[in-house]
């Protein structure tokens, strides 16, 4: 999947179902944004009706609310509590099972041939997928499950028609415009009409586009799309200071960590909603007969005290040390480990923090501390 | 079943022998079910899986020149290691590895070598010691400084005595608490560094033991003038994968599993300076 590969066309919104049908007909399991329990979550998509048409979201630190908005299109919402990582790196995953045989045991690895297609993937989310690629498939080892699933994954992206109050992708070089890493990119156009501008980003995307009944995209379509993206970008209020990687590392022992500790509940919400957090733990179990064992992998979080347990006690005993691990890993160490920030600026950790701790605000505070020192 | 080997799936090994070393410490001798050799570098470790119980990181303690047998020396401290202690010959275990970085036995050619270790920390260093002794002429002076809690806790005692009786290597053993029949040294290992015979500016130091012991050892070595990037330490952190996926072993920007466990001190000095990193 590369940059825009040239194919461009207009698909009327009333034909969106045909895109869904084509994806299904190629054997993909299609997943996209759907409405569930007052939140937009990613789930199986059978029908265009499953998309949250006419729904918009309001987000602020510690707050998420959906609103009916007759003018809102299919993708007018921004990111919700789910991220795509749950399909490539599931929250609970059986790694293998083992069965006792005479002297020892034999190991069986589960197989999963499902081909996944994602629709409604935003620029920051593509960036997040690419960050997880670096962890799971571009190091010395490849996670078999992740690597294969990801390679075969079809990405239908959307350009954001608006930003949430919590977004700061523009200062993370992660949006709002989708620039690479997709098969098809949609821009929802609603100025006196309801159309999608479709751009292709891969040969797969080209082939898909050929299956659809579209019309030629004209200059005015691009102009409307560009203006919409520019307006989205201009509306982004939050930002991440660019010198934050060095700043945090200079102040690992500042007393401000204790101030954050006094607010932080150590609930680990921020790591669970974060599209790039990759930490996991494993659990080994046997059944009652003792003949059958399984190994499962679960999402874990550096906010759990046990996370750093070694014989004799946990390394990060204090909440301050655990918050410091989280933010310095995201914003500083990630650069050294993977050559990029670990944050895309999606704002989920801000919205879903029960006490509204804001990563951009804490980063700004450390920059202030840095200036004073 | 998948054909490509998944790095999270163990290979089967059979216990050939289990040898009791100390009250809580034992050595397992394993061979691969596939009969394949198991080449490794001194300082590397494996993830050992005990059926249904769990998986733990354990350094290889055998001789790198004898890759037909996989040797691990383990102290029983918790659920998995206690379980491993009751293994019998014939039992099967799962092995993933070898993982991690190695002691710099090649880079240290021509240098004096000081090995500083305490307790079970001698096990991860034994492969390096075997290598140094097998290639004795390639190194300058070799000094081993080892500390144990009590004389009854001295690991590989027979081997230490054998090494000690050689003329081309100096071995000092100290205990924290003496008992009446102990005529050797009493005190902590870092205290031995001052008196040890090596040329600081030409020395590579290899350290493995409790973090506090490593911290004081580094300090004593620096005071004698050993260069920071010639001091190597083996770090211990919680590990759930050993291949950079689970995030548990992070130490600042380093992953102990894939960037370590053996680090030049210069690379991780902040870990010794900053609490709870
Ligand atoms: C690179 C490396 C090499 C090691 N080499 C040896 C060795 O050669 N011999 C030896 O006896 N011990 C070694 N250890 C320590 C050994 O891994 C722990 O003693 C062991 O994990 C304890 O597991 P448990 O289930 O018995 O204990 P519990 O206390 O029940 O531990 C529960 C879980 O916590 C984690 N854990 C606990 N202690 C440690 C620890 N110290 N390090 C990492 N994870 C831990 C493990 O995931 C373990 O399963 C090494 C550790 C590391 C990181
Ligand atoms: S740290 Fe917060 S803003 Fe950054 S990617 Fe994770 S959830 Fe999004
Ligand atoms: S260490 Fe913490 S911040 Fe970093 S990936 Fe793991 S859970 Fe996320
Ligand atoms: S042990 Fe899992 S990342 Fe190092």
């Amino acid at each position: 999947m590369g940059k825009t590969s040239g194919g461009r066309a207009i698909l009327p919104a009333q034909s969106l179902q045909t895109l869904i049908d084509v994806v299904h007909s190629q054997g993909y399991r299609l997943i996209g944004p759907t409405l569930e329990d007052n939140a937009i979550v990613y789930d199986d998509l059978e029908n265009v009706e499953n998309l949250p048409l006419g729904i918009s979201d309001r987000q602020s630190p510690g707050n998420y609310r959906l609103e009916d908005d007759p003018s809102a299109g299919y993708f007018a919402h921004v990111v919700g509590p789910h991220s795509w990582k749950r399909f490539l790196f599931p929250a609970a995953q059986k790694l293998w099972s083992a069965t006792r045989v005479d002297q020892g045991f034999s190991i069986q690895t589960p197989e999963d041939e499902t081909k996944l297609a994602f629709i409604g993937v935003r620029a920051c989310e593509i960036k997040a997928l690419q960050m997880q690629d670096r962890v799971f498939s571009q190091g010395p080892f490849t996670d078999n499950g992740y690597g294969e699933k990801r390679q075969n994954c079809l990405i239908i992206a959307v350009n954001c028609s608006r930003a949430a109050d919590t977004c700061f992708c523009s200062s993370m070089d992660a949006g709002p415009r989708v620039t690479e890493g997709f098969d098809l990119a949609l821009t929802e156009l609603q100025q006196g009409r309801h159309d999608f501008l479709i751009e292709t980003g891969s040969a797969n995307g080209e082939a898909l586009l050929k299956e659809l009944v579209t019309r030629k995209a004209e200059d005015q379509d691009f102009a409307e799309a560009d203006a919409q993206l520019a307006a989205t970008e201009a509306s982004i209020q939050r930002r991440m200071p660019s010198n934050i990687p060095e700043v945090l590392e200079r102040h690992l022992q500042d007393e401000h960590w204790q101030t954050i500790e006094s607010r932080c509940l150590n609930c680990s919400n921020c790591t669970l909603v974060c599209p790039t957090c990759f930490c996991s733990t494993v659990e080994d179990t046997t059944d009652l007969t003792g003949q059958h064992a399984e190994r499962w992998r679960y999402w874990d979080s550096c906010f759990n005290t046990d996370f750093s347990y070694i014989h004799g006690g946990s390394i990060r005993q204090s909440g301050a040390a655990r918050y410091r691990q989280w933010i310095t890993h995201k914003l500083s160490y990630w650069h050294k480990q993977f050559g990029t920030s670990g944050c895309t600026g999606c704002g989920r950790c801000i919205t879903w923090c029960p006490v509204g701790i804001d990563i951009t605000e804490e980063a700004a505070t450390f920059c202030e501390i840095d200036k004073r020192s | 079943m998948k054909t490509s080997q998944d790095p999270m799936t163990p290979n089967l090994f059979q216990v050939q022998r289990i040898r009791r070393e100390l009250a809580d410490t034992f050595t397992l001798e394993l061979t691969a079910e596939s009969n394949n050799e198991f080449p490794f570098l001194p300082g590397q470790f494996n993830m050992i899986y005990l059926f249904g119980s769990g998986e733990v990181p354990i350094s290889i303690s055998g001789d790198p020149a004898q890759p037909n047998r996989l040797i691990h020396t383990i102290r029983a401290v918790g659920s998995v290691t206690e379980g491993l202690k009751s293994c019998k010959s014939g039992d099967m275990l799962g092995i993933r590895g070898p993982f991690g970085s190695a002691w710099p036995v090649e880079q240290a050619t021509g240098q004096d070598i000081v090995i500083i270790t305490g307790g079970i920390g001698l096990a991860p260093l034994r492969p390096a010691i075997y290598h140094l002794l097998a290639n004795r002429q390639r190194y300058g002076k070799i000094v081993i400084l080892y500390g144990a809690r009590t004389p009854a806790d001295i690991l590989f005692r027979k081997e230490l005595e054998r090494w000690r009786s050689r003329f081309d290597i100096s071995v000092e053993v100290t205990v924290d608490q003496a008992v009446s029949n102990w005529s050797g040294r009493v005190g902590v290992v870092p205290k031995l560094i001052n008196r040890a015979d090596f040329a600081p500016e030409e020395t590579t130091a290899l350290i493995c033991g409790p973090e506090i012991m490593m911290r004081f050892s580094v300090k004593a070595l620096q005071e004698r003038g050993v260069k920071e990037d010639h001091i190597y330490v083996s770090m211990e952190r919680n590990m759930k994968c050993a291949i950079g996926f689970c995030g548990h072993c992070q130490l600042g920007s380093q992953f102990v599993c894939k960037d370590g466990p053996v680090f030049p001190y210069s690379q991780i000095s902040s870990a010794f300076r900053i609490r709870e990193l």
Side-chain angles (χ1 to χ4, degrees):
Chain A
M1 283 177 277
K3 304 225 182 273
T4 306
S5 67
R8 294 152 155 207
I10 293 290
L11 180 77
Q14 75 249 27
S15 308
L16 191 56
Q17 183 67 41
T18 58
L19 173 59
I20 294 175
D21 292 340
V22 169
V23 172
H24 278 141
S25 73
Q26 297 194 352
Y28 287 101
R29 173 183 168 202
L30 179 63
I31 299 158
T34 63
L35 180 63
E36 201 181 299
D37 296 337
N38 293 317
I40 306 286
V41 298
Y42 297 148
D43 207 343
D44 286 282
L45 213 68
E46 295 306 327
N47 195 284
V48 69
E49 316 268 282
N50 301 140
L51 289 168
L53 178 67
I55 292 175
S56 178
D57 50 14
R58 291 284 166 268
Q59 305 195 33
S60 60
N63 246 301
Y64 178 90
R65 193 158 41 85
L66 294 182
E67 283 177 355
D68 287 324
D69 174 359
S71 71
Y74 288 104
F75 299 100
H77 57 277
V78 193
V79 294
H82 280 186
S83 70
W84 304 102
K85 79 173 178 187
R86 63 176 33 237
F87 302 102
L88 298 167
F89 164 52
Q93 184 182 6
K94 183 160 86 177
L95 292 177
W96 44 260
S97 52
T99 313
R100 277 201 192 281
V101 286
D102 35 308
Q103 273 250 306
F105 55 93
S106 71
I107 294 180
Q108 298 84 38
T109 323
E111 264 182 85
D112 181 1
E113 313 257 278
T114 320
K115 285 198 300 176
L116 297 173
F118 300 156
I119 186 169
V121 187
R122 283 143 206 285
C124 63
E125 300 187 296
I126 291 177
K127 192 87 169 193
L129 292 171
Q130 291 171 336
M131 288 179 189
Q132 290 222 320
D133 291 347
R134 291 181 194 231
V135 177
F136 291 124
S137 57
Q138 291 170 3
F141 297 93
T142 296
D143 185 87
N144 269 11
Y146 182 95
E148 283 171 33
K149 272 216 164 63
R150 172 75 167 112
Q151 215 164 15
N152 300 326
C153 187
L154 183 82
I155 307 281
I156 304 174
V158 289
N159 281 311
C160 291
S161 58
R162 51 174 281 272
D165 176 51
T166 42
C167 293
F168 58 102
C169 59
S170 48
S171 61
M172 300 311 296
D173 193 24
R177 184 191 284 273
V178 169
T179 55
E180 52 158 359
F182 60 90
D183 295 287
L184 292 179
L186 313 179
T187 310
E188 195 165 14
L189 302 175
Q190 289 180 276
Q191 302 233 320
R193 53 161 161 176
H194 198 181
D195 288 334
F196 286 98
L197 170 64
I198 303 191
E199 296 169 90
T200 61
S202 73
N204 252 351
E206 293 283 343
L208 266 179
L209 184 58
K210 289 212 181 82
E211 304 275 315
L212 301 174
V213 181
T214 56
R215 64 167 195 269
K216 191 168 172 286
E218 309 288 350
D219 285 353
Q220 80 205 48
D221 299 318
F222 295 115
E224 188 183 334
D226 286 349
Q228 179 172 292
L229 265 166
T232 301
E233 179 154 6
S235 74
I236 293 174
Q237 302 290 327
R238 283 186 161 70
R239 62 176 292 275
M240 180 61 69
S242 61
N243 61 339
I244 195 66
E246 308 85 71
V247 165
L248 288 178
E249 283 203 68
R250 277 201 286 272
H251 300 284
L252 294 173
Q253 286 169 300
D254 195 271
E255 48 198 46
H256 185 62
W257 297 113
Q258 274 74 41
T259 313
I260 305 172
E261 176 180 43
S262 66
R263 296 176 64 203
C264 175
L265 307 178
N266 274 277
C267 68
S268 78
N269 265 17
C270 51
T271 59
L272 300 178
V273 294
C274 180
T276 70
C277 272
F278 57 83
C279 285
S280 63
T281 187
V282 288
E283 214 173 276
D284 290 285
T285 55
T286 44
D287 65 4
L288 286 176
T289 65
Q291 297 303 302
H292 186 78
E294 292 188 346
R295 158 160 285 214
W296 283 72
R297 175 164 80 181
Y298 301 96
W299 287 356
D300 200 354
S301 166
C302 56
F303 280 97
N304 297 331
T305 316
D306 279 356
F307 185 83
S308 61
Y309 174 81
I310 60 175
H311 175 66
S314 292
I315 306 274
R316 297 183 203 104
Q317 296 274 353
S318 69
R322 297 200 290 277
Y323 185 87
R324 181 180 67 191
Q325 167 63 22
W326 176 69
I327 196 171
T328 49
H329 186 217
K330 301 261 90 156
L331 300 178
S332 305
Y333 300 142
W334 212 294
H335 285 277
K336 295 184 179 162
Q337 295 172 344
F338 302 108
T340 164
S341 173
C343 174
T344 67
C346 74
R348 285 181 177 89
C349 56
I350 305 174
T351 299
W352 296 97
C353 174
V355 296
I357 296 176
D358 176 345
I359 188 171
T360 60
E361 209 175 277
E362 298 310 332
T365 304
F366 278 102
C367 288
E368 278 305 311
I369 290 168
D370 192 57
K371 265 190 226 142
R372 274 188 265 123
S373 66
Chain B
M1 282 260 265
K2 289 224 167 66
T3 42
S4 61
Q5 172 70 47
D6 182 273
M8 285 299 282
T9 308
N11 289 306
L12 297 187
F13 277 66
Q14 188 168 49
V15 178
Q16 297 303 328
R17 237 184 303 170
I18 174 158
R19 189 192 140 95
R20 200 184 132 135
E21 305 280 1
L22 303 170
D24 59 358
T25 306
F26 54 97
T27 295
L28 296 177
E29 193 178 308
L30 310 166
T31 52
E33 192 192 39
S34 63
N35 273 322
N36 287 345
E37 293 202 328
F38 193 88
F40 69 97
L41 300 169
Q44 287 192 301
F45 68 96
N46 281 325
M47 295 298 280
I48 305 186
Y49 169 70
L50 177 65
F51 187 86
S53 164
E55 198 183 42
V56 287
I58 302 288
S59 304
I60 304 168
S61 68
D63 186 347
Q66 293 188 17
N68 51 330
R69 277 172 195 285
L70 174 60
I71 314 279
H72 283 291
T73 303
I74 305 168
R75 187 154 86 97
V77 297
S79 57
V80 179
T81 47
E82 285 289 355
L84 289 168
K85 194 177 164 194
S86 31
C87 273
K88 289 178 291 298
S89 70
D91 285 357
M92 296 295 253
L93 298 173
I95 296 284
R96 295 191 295 124
F99 297 121
S101 60
W103 297 111
V105 289
E106 296 306 324
Q107 298 98 294
T109 307
Q111 297 246 311
D112 287 356
I113 311 285
V114 184
I115 288 173
I116 305 163
T117 165
I120 184 78
L122 182 55
L125 273 161
R126 192 168 69 165
I129 298 173
Y130 286 142
H131 180 91
L132 297 173
L133 295 182
N135 299 275
R136 183 65 194 88
Q137 71 292 349
R138 287 210 243 145
Y139 302 94
K141 298 195 175 93
I142 296 180
V143 179
I144 299 175
L145 308 177
Y146 177 66
R149 261 176 314 162
T150 72
D153 297 311
I154 298 174
L155 184 62
F156 305 145
R157 191 169 187 154
K158 287 243 155 52
E159 258 176 317
L160 281 166
E161 281 164 4
R162 205 167 337 119
W163 295 333
R164 198 179 178 166
S165 66
R166 289 172 65 138
F167 296 109
D168 58 354
I169 162 170
S170 121
V171 177
E172 296 286 349
V173 176
T174 180
V175 297
D176 296 345
Q177 299 153 28
V179 286
S180 51
N181 62 349
W182 173 253
S183 56
R185 292 185 190 281
V186 179
V188 294
V189 205
K191 287 251 187 313
L192 301 177
I193 295 171
N194 276 337
R195 286 188 298 257
D197 178 23
F198 58 87
E201 57 291 351
E202 305 280 312
T203 288
T204 295
L206 315 179
I207 318 178
C208 183
E211 238 165 271
I212 173 110
M213 177 227 119
M214 298 205 285
R215 185 175 309 138
F216 282 108
S217 300
V218 168
K219 196 157 162 267
L221 288 166
Q222 286 179 319
E223 276 163 15
R224 283 203 55 182
V226 180
K227 293 182 218 122
E228 245 194 24
D229 55 352
H230 278 58
I231 301 174
Y232 289 80
V233 294
S234 184
M235 299 301 293
E236 197 170 311
R237 282 296 180 270
N238 186 302
M239 291 188 180
K240 296 293 178 196
C241 75
I243 52 181
F245 292 169
C246 78
H248 280 253
C249 69
Q250 290 177 89
L251 174 63
S253 64
Q254 311 289 326
F255 286 91
V256 173
C257 68
K258 59 175 187 175
D259 303 318
V262 176
F263 292 97
Y265 176 72
S266 50
Q267 201 174 323
I268 49 147
S269 51
S270 61
F272 285 81
R273 276 201 315 273
I274 295 163
R275 290 190 52 220
E276 299 188 72
L277 191 61

